[in-house]
Amino acid sequence: MPSRPKQHVQETKCRLAIRTALPPEWVDEDIDADYGRDMEVEIVADGKLTGINFAVQAKGTAEKKRSKAMKVRDVPYSHIEHWHNRRQPVLVALHLDAWNKLYGYWAHEQTFRDGTNPPLKSPRFSFSDEDELTEQRVAALERDIDRYVYTRTG
């Protein structure tokens, strides 16, 4: 019989955590073909679709050592290049199963915190406590997206 890789289970847990963290009015859809994006989200305001979208790269880990769990290495540089060329931002999200916490930050704001220059084939994304997706951080996502679009279009 086929088996389901643990990585897929962790990604599913991350997607569920994202859906729980986002306002229920917002529309989220899974993306089947994974090119560094697992979900697409549209913000809804006053019951109306806004056309304000962002993608999500969902990552999860069952790692019990927190310092190790806060680092994600399996993101190919080609995905990062793709994210930087998109009109909509990409939120890189990490769910820590051992603590049931969700972290995230915008891919376009990522500096390679492992100090590599040029970046490794699969750069290390490091999350910190400030990256926790609290209610306040989620509420600020729309403002962040507006700023992203403005800087892209002038």
Side-chain angles (χ1 to χ4, degrees):
M1 291 199 118
S3 61
R4 186 165 189 226
K6 290 179 184 179
Q7 180 182 352
H8 291 184
V9 173
Q10 292 304 319
E11 183 182 305
T12 297
K13 288 181 179 185
C14 184
R15 289 177 194 228
L16 291 171
I18 292 164
R19 288 187 168 100
T20 300
L22 296 178
E25 299 82 19
W26 292 10
V27 178
D28 63 81
E29 298 179 69
D30 288 331
I31 297 173
D32 290 330
D34 184 3
Y35 297 104
R37 296 173 299 128
D38 297 307
M39 299 171 73
E40 189 80 29
V41 178
E42 182 168 355
I43 295 174
V44 176
D46 299 322
K48 295 188 181 351
L49 298 171
T50 62
I52 300 170
N53 300 315
F54 63 96
V56 179
Q57 170 67 53
K59 295 290 184 183
T61 182
E63 174 63 52
K64 294 191 181 355
K65 187 174 180 184
R66 194 166 189 280
S67 61
K68 203 172 184 181
M70 296 290 273
K71 293 184 174 78
V72 175
R73 181 147 268 342
D74 57 343
V75 179
Y77 188 66
S78 60
H79 290 312
I80 297 166
E81 286 180 313
H82 176 68
W83 297 340
H84 284 273
N85 290 323
R86 289 179 46 83
R87 291 181 186 259
Q88 295 88 17
V90 176
L91 183 72
V92 180
L94 172 67
H95 179 255
L96 301 185
D97 197 23
W99 294 272
N100 195 28
K101 292 212 176 214
L102 182 64
Y103 298 84
Y105 57 77
W106 296 113
H108 64 274
E109 294 177 348
Q110 167 67 14
T111 56
F112 296 100
R113 299 176 188 176
D114 64 359
T116 58
N117 192 6
L120 300 170
K121 184 176 179 185
S122 293
R124 179 178 296 129
F125 280 69
S126 297
F127 291 81
S128 68
D129 290 332
E130 292 81 41
D131 297 320
E132 186 175 352
L133 286 176
T134 61
E135 280 186 46
Q136 294 81 9
R137 291 256 347 270
V138 170
L141 292 177
E142 184 175 359
R143 183 198 66 225
D144 294 346
I145 296 167
D146 285 343
R147 187 176 20 210
Y148 177 85
V149 170
Y150 178 77
T151 59
R152 294 277 174 159
T153 60

